[in-house]
Amino acid sequence: MTKADIDGPTATGIAGALEATEVAGVLGADATPASGWWRSAVVYQVYPRSFADGDGDGVGDLPGVREKLPYLAGLGVDALWLSPFYPSGGVDAGYDVVDPRGVDLVFGTLADLDAVLAEAHALGIRVIIDLVPNHSSSRHPWFVEALAAEPGSPERARYLFRPGRGDGPPNDWPSKFGGSAWTRVAPDDEWYLHLYDAGQPDFDWSNPEVRAEYESILRFWLDRGVDGFRVDVAHGLVKAPGLPDLGRGDEPLVLAGVDTGPMWDQDGVHDIYRAWRRVLGEYGDDRILVAEAWATEERVALYLRPDEMHQAFDFRYLGAGWDAAAVAGAVSRAVEISSGVGASPTWVLSNHDVVRAVSRFGRADAVAWSAGIGPDDAQPDLTLGTRRARAGALLTLGLPGSAYLYQGEELGLPDHTELPPSARRDPVFRRTGGASVGRDGARIPMPWHAAHPGLGFGGHPWLPQPESYGALAVDVQEGDRMSTLSLYRRALALRRRSGAGAAEFAECRLEGRMLTVTTSALRVVVNFGGDPVRVDGDPGALLLESVPGALRDGMLAADAAVWLRL
Ligand code: GLC
């Protein structure tokens, strides 16, 4: 490949050229050859609580996951990421862990987890689990001991206990979920830090005991055969020395977006990940670390250095909305940044923390993705959102690199945007006094069979399903060649056959609202605009289209995408 014909692959070069609305650049020319399964893997996020319910108690579980493994193999994914299944205090849907070496009774037993691992592996599917190192549950034995112990004790030194300033908290930090990040143990006692809910006290990562504990937890799961870890809040573990004020008054922290301030993305986190990488290295070179780091792309690149993590979600891509220039900018930058550190990009369109793509793309603002959509907000146009999400899926799966899918994305599920307050479980809703409806809408139990109770999920799902989910059930879509599920299956099969995930980037071209990404495997063309656009080249080259008839007489329909043979 030749070098970029824009001003070299620099930040200003790409951003500047993209502002001119038309750009042709050769990207990633220096990328190291792909090696390692994760570099091109399609990873499916299972949110166990809402995936499949094996015992009919209304909460999904590991036997449910086990039963659906053939479905996932049929879909064609390479790996699963299991969101937390650990015994938990129940305040943040499992992200408040009481025992990081166990399985919560509601999800089953360690034997069920072992069975998921063994059967997934037999189907050629790897399994990554969620690791939650920034905080524990307030019911974790260590925190219970800390509360019972004196200020200054070794028990308290595992967390961040501090005396208040006068009657107030030790500093001005807000919790990401709303309210203060500090809770006072008792009048006349210390305060403890929780960047999230009060039931999620932050560990003190300057304490060697905490570091040793997490290395031991890694080994526990590696010994059991997991293929890696999605590292929760990877940018939060180390806080600036002295815990200085943030100085932003009452401004709330963004729920999903780039985090800045003395509690985020401190240089000290990298020592932790280097140590973890060495632990993983003891198990060969196939086990991986995936960072959930809400930092700028430049800073995220640091987590991807060869002796740290293998992947980091590209949240700029996730947040780009239905905007050709923003998406083009995110794609170009991701390729440039990851190739600069010898990693590959990690694309993601949806997860359990953000409004699902169908609902996001179905609103005029298209980027209202972090705070949830409630009954009083403008409701998404689901026909438009579905059409765009299908096109977005073809872009995501056509791009070189790894792609993370969130359960139900392959069905084109929207958010439940009309949940009543009484049904809401996300602590964000409570802690913000309803100002943010929170993330429950993206966490609704999966519809498996249209005619069964709870749409085949089971009797009384822990969150109610919206009416629209019936027509989107797996059994309905399986029989329909035009369904979103069929589109994902075809795209994943073709991605595998064509080597699209492991291909080399060649060019990312933005013309008006049409984005064309050319790789060594295929060409993806997306029309982000509301009018058809002319696509140059051989009309016989059509491999896949996001909607039937997307490409006709050389014209690509509005809000549609195609894969073309080179
Ligand atoms: C991560 C998780 C989110 C959780 C938070 C606190 O952002 O994805 O669901 O609430 O961490 O653990």
Side-chain angles (χ1 to χ4, degrees):
M1 281 199 299
T2 55
K3 225 22 193 163
D5 56 2
I6 52 176
D7 185 26
T10 65
T12 40
I14 286 179
L18 283 170
E19 268 158 28
T21 59
E22 194 162 322
V23 64
V26 176
L27 301 170
D30 302 326
T32 43
S35 73
W37 64 270
W38 62 89
R39 288 176 177 274
S40 57
V42 175
V43 185
Y44 184 98
Q45 180 188 358
V46 170
Y47 193 70
R49 196 170 291 275
S50 297
F51 186 61
D53 182 8
D55 62 6
D57 65 354
V59 180
D61 48 37
L62 292 172
V65 176
R66 187 177 171 191
E67 190 188 306
K68 300 297 184 190
L69 288 172
Y71 166 79
L72 297 173
L75 181 59
V77 301
D78 303 299
L80 304 184
W81 149 28
L82 289 176
S83 283
F85 47 74
Y86 310 110
S88 130
V91 302
D92 187 22
Y95 284 94
D96 50 319
V97 177
V98 171
D99 174 9
R101 296 180 184 79
V103 171
D104 199 297
L105 277 178
V106 80
F107 296 128
T109 62
L110 262 182
D112 292 324
L113 198 260
D114 289 340
V116 168
L117 283 174
E119 288 173 26
H121 287 161
L123 290 167
I125 298 176
R126 296 180 204 253
V127 181
I128 296 168
I129 64 173
D130 223 303
L131 185 77
V132 188
N134 181 67
H135 44 263
S136 72
S137 162
S138 54
R139 298 200 200 158
H140 187 291
W142 275 10
F143 195 73
V144 174
E145 282 171 34
L147 288 183
E150 295 297 307
S153 61
E155 288 81 4
R156 288 210 171 174
R158 294 161 173 157
Y159 294 91
L160 290 158
F161 284 87
R162 293 289 183 276
R165 277 196 299 216
D167 280 342
N171 69 22
D172 68 352
W173 294 3
S175 151
K176 204 154 153 107
F177 287 171
S180 169
W182 296 93
T183 292
R184 196 167 200 173
V185 175
D188 297 330
D189 203 338
E190 292 182 312
W191 301 66
Y192 68 90
L193 178 73
H194 51 86
L195 292 181
Y196 295 86
D197 190 79
Q200 296 169 293
D202 281 50
F203 285 117
D204 184 348
W205 273 88
S206 69
N207 185 335
E209 209 186 338
V210 173
R211 295 189 183 225
E213 168 67 354
Y214 268 86
E215 291 185 18
S216 146
I217 294 166
L218 290 176
R219 288 201 169 85
F220 176 86
W221 292 110
L222 291 165
D223 287 338
R224 281 203 116 77
V226 306
D227 298 288
F229 304 89
R230 175 264 187 188
V231 181
D232 190 63
V233 196
H235 60 315
L237 277 48
V238 174
K239 280 77 180 173
L243 312 183
D245 277 337
L246 178 63
R248 290 197 204 141
D250 291 337
E251 190 190 320
L253 295 181
V254 284
L255 185 54
V258 172
D259 291 321
T260 53
M263 61 288 248
W264 304 117
D265 193 30
Q266 301 294 305
D267 290 335
V269 294
H270 298 290
D271 286 343
I272 299 170
Y273 303 132
R274 282 191 199 103
W276 290 8
R277 181 66 177 251
R278 288 193 293 274
V279 173
L280 265 65
E282 294 167 19
Y283 292 79
D285 51 16
D286 265 1
R287 318 283 185 112
I288 67 162
L289 295 168
V290 187
E292 184 214 21
W294 295 90
T296 60
E297 312 94 67
E298 291 77 12
R299 298 281 308 177
V300 169
L302 302 177
Y303 294 75
L304 292 171
R305 288 174 289 192
D307 58 348
E308 294 194 37
M309 304 231 194
H310 301 75
Q311 299 186 313
F313 299 117
D314 198 299
F315 290 130
R316 175 166 166 183
Y317 181 72
L318 172 64
W322 194 248
D323 176 321
V327 173
V331 169
S332 306
R333 193 80 178 111
V335 171
E336 177 191 343
I337 291 264
S338 55
S339 65
V341 282
S344 60
T346 303
W347 311 110
V348 55
L349 268 189
S350 289
N351 66 33
H352 65 294
D353 289 329
V354 302
V355 174
R356 286 178 175 275
V358 165
S359 303
R360 245 166 40 225
F361 294 159
R363 283 212 339 192
D365 53 6
V367 285
W369 52 296
S370 72
I373 300 175
D376 301 333
D377 297 319
Q379 295 299 300
D381 171 344
L382 295 185
T383 306
L384 179 66
T386 303
R387 185 177 172 94
R388 289 174 168 174
R390 289 171 65 121
L394 285 203
L395 176 61
T396 305
L397 294 174
L399 291 170
S402 173
Y404 276 67
L405 309 180
Y406 175 45
Q407 69 180 40
E409 175 182 334
E410 78 281 17
L411 305 177
L413 296 185
D415 264 35
H416 192 333
T417 54
E418 290 176 334
L419 280 172
S422 60
R424 296 205 174 272
R425 298 285 175 269
D426 186 354
V428 170
F429 179 67
R430 177 175 37 85
R431 290 187 61 92
T432 61
S436 168
V437 293
R439 302 160 295 176
D440 295 311
R443 300 174 174 180
I444 303 298
M446 287 271 285
W448 294 99
H449 303 284
H452 293 196
L455 301 176
F457 178 79
H460 299 282
W462 71 284
L463 284 174
Q465 296 154 311
E467 232 177 86
S468 61
Y469 275 32
L472 298 170
V474 171
D475 67 342
V476 174
Q477 297 206 35
E478 266 181 331
D480 177 1
R481 272 187 48 78
M482 301 305 163
S483 69
T484 302
L485 178 59
S486 298
L487 177 70
Y488 268 82
R489 284 185 177 156
R490 275 201 297 278
L492 287 167
L494 196 52
R495 175 184 161 100
R496 189 166 287 198
R497 267 207 313 281
S498 64
E504 297 269 325
F505 261 95
E507 186 184 58
C508 182
R509 180 190 294 269
L510 182 67
E511 290 159 277
R513 300 182 71 186
M514 179 171 75
L515 174 67
T516 306
V517 179
T518 306
T519 76
S520 56
L522 45 81
R523 175 169 291 147
V524 188
V525 191
V526 190
N527 180 5
F528 288 86
D531 300 306
V533 285
R534 175 153 304 283
V535 175
D536 297 332
D538 170 14
L542 181 64
L543 291 169
L544 191 58
E545 45 188 3
S546 60
V547 282
L551 189 63
R552 265 207 197 120
D553 304 326
M555 298 298 285
L556 179 58
D559 298 312
V562 286
W563 286 6
L564 303 174
R565 197 176 289 119
L566 292 179

